[in-house]
Amino acid sequence: MYTVNARYMNKKILHNLFLAVPIILAIIFGFPKSVSAAPKLEKTIGNVKHYIYDSKCKGATKQNLIFDGTTASFEDTYLFIHGQTAPSPEGYCGDKGFDLCTRAAEKTKSIFVGFAMSGSGATWVNAFDFTCLYNEAKAQISELGKTMPSSHILAAFSYGGGALKKIYTNKVQPPNVKYTLFFDACFPGWCEVVAKIPSSARGNMNIYASNALGNQNGPKNQEGAQKAMEVSNDA
C-alpha cells in the first residue's frame, strides 16, 4: 500500500502551477520579442539628424537613419544597401563614403535608411534578411516620433546589387516602389534579373555604370547594364 503526504502534494502542485504561469501567459499573449534599443543621435549637420541603432537581425550591425529634423512628415523612404563591406556610421554621413546626409539636406521630404551588414561580399548577402531589416527600421523611425513613408526607393552600390536581386527574386520588396537604383552594381547579371521584373513591382529602374580603370569591374558593369536594357520589362 502506498501512502500520500497531502501537504507535500499540495505544495508540489502549487510549485508546478507557479512555474507554468509564465508559459501559459506567453501562449495566450505571445512570447516576448527581442526589441532593438532606441536610436542614438550620432551626428547633426545643419537640420539633418543622423541616428544609429544596433540591429537584432541576422548578420546586421549598426543601422543608420538620416533625415531633416525640421520636417514634420515625409514623402519617400530611401533604402540604401552598401557594397563589398559596410562602412562605419561615418561612412554614411561624411565627406568620404556615401554621404547620405548631403542627400537628406537636398531631399528634405525623404527619410534615408542605410543598411549595414557584417562580413564581406557573398557572406553578408546570403545572410541579408530584408523583411527583418525593413520592419526594424520602421519601428525605429516610429521611436523617433516619425512615420516611415509608404513610397519607397531602393538603391545599392557594388555588391549590394546582389541583395537587391535577392529582395526581388524572393518577392519581399516593400509596397509602392518608385525607383530601383543600381550604382556600379550590375555584375554578375544582377541588373538583368531585376530588369525582367514588372515595373509595377520594382518601379522605374535606373543604372549607373562607371568606366572604372585598372580592374574588371567597369567593363563587367557596362556589360551588365547593356544586358539589362536588352531584357528590360519596360522595353
Side-chain angles (χ1 to χ4, degrees):
M1 178 183 294
Y2 293 96
T3 59
V4 178
N5 187 323
R7 181 178 298 178
Y8 169 77
M9 290 299 295
N10 287 338
K11 286 184 178 179
K12 188 172 183 180
I13 291 170
L14 289 173
H15 175 71
N16 290 339
L17 284 174
F18 176 78
L19 293 177
V21 166
I23 298 175
I24 295 171
L25 291 175
I27 293 172
I28 296 173
F29 298 105
F31 287 92
K33 297 182 179 179
S34 178
V35 179
S36 300
K40 171 189 172 185
L41 182 61
E42 175 76 4
K43 182 184 292 186
T44 300
I45 302 177
N47 293 329
V48 174
K49 305 289 186 181
H50 177 197
Y51 291 90
I52 61 174
Y53 61 92
D54 291 314
S55 175
K56 297 294 184 182
C57 299
K58 180 181 178 181
T61 58
K62 291 186 182 298
Q63 309 300 299
N64 303 265
L65 302 175
I66 300 169
F67 55 86
D68 186 308
T70 66
T71 302
S73 61
F74 297 87
E75 297 176 354
D76 298 310
T77 303
Y78 188 106
L79 305 167
F80 183 79
I81 308 171
H82 61 79
Q84 181 79 4
T85 57
S88 63
E90 291 79 7
Y92 287 95
C93 186
D95 295 334
K96 296 180 180 180
F98 302 115
D99 197 9
L100 297 182
C101 284
T102 296
R103 304 288 83 78
E106 297 168 347
K107 305 289 185 181
T108 59
K109 286 289 188 176
S110 295
I111 290 181
F112 291 79
V113 180
F115 294 130
M117 298 290 292
S118 61
S120 177
T123 300
W124 74 256
V125 171
N126 289 336
F128 188 81
D129 184 344
F130 176 77
T131 301
C132 179
L133 290 164
Y134 175 82
N135 289 337
E136 189 177 59
K138 187 174 183 178
Q140 293 293 320
I141 290 170
S142 179
E143 285 280 338
L144 297 171
K146 306 293 183 181
T147 301
M148 177 186 278
S150 59
S151 176
H152 300 88
I153 298 168
L154 273 65
F157 169 71
S158 186
Y159 226 97
L164 272 185
K165 170 182 170 288
K166 183 177 180 181
I167 289 170
Y168 284 111
T169 54
N170 290 345
K171 297 181 179 180
V172 294
Q173 71 272 12
N176 304 318
V177 178
K178 291 173 63 177
Y179 295 97
T180 298
L181 311 177
F182 286 83
F183 297 97
D184 284 338
C186 279
F187 56 90
W190 296 328
C191 289
E192 187 177 351
V193 172
V194 177
K196 295 177 181 178
I197 295 170
S199 59
S200 58
R202 57 159 169 77
N204 293 322
M205 181 172 169
N206 292 349
I207 300 172
Y208 302 86
S210 64
N211 292 314
L213 300 176
N215 59 58
Q216 295 299 311
N217 289 344
K220 286 181 180 179
N221 273 294
Q222 294 283 343
E223 181 182 353
Q226 181 62 41
K227 288 183 177 179
M229 288 188 287
E230 292 171 358
V231 303
S232 174
N233 189 271
D234 304 333

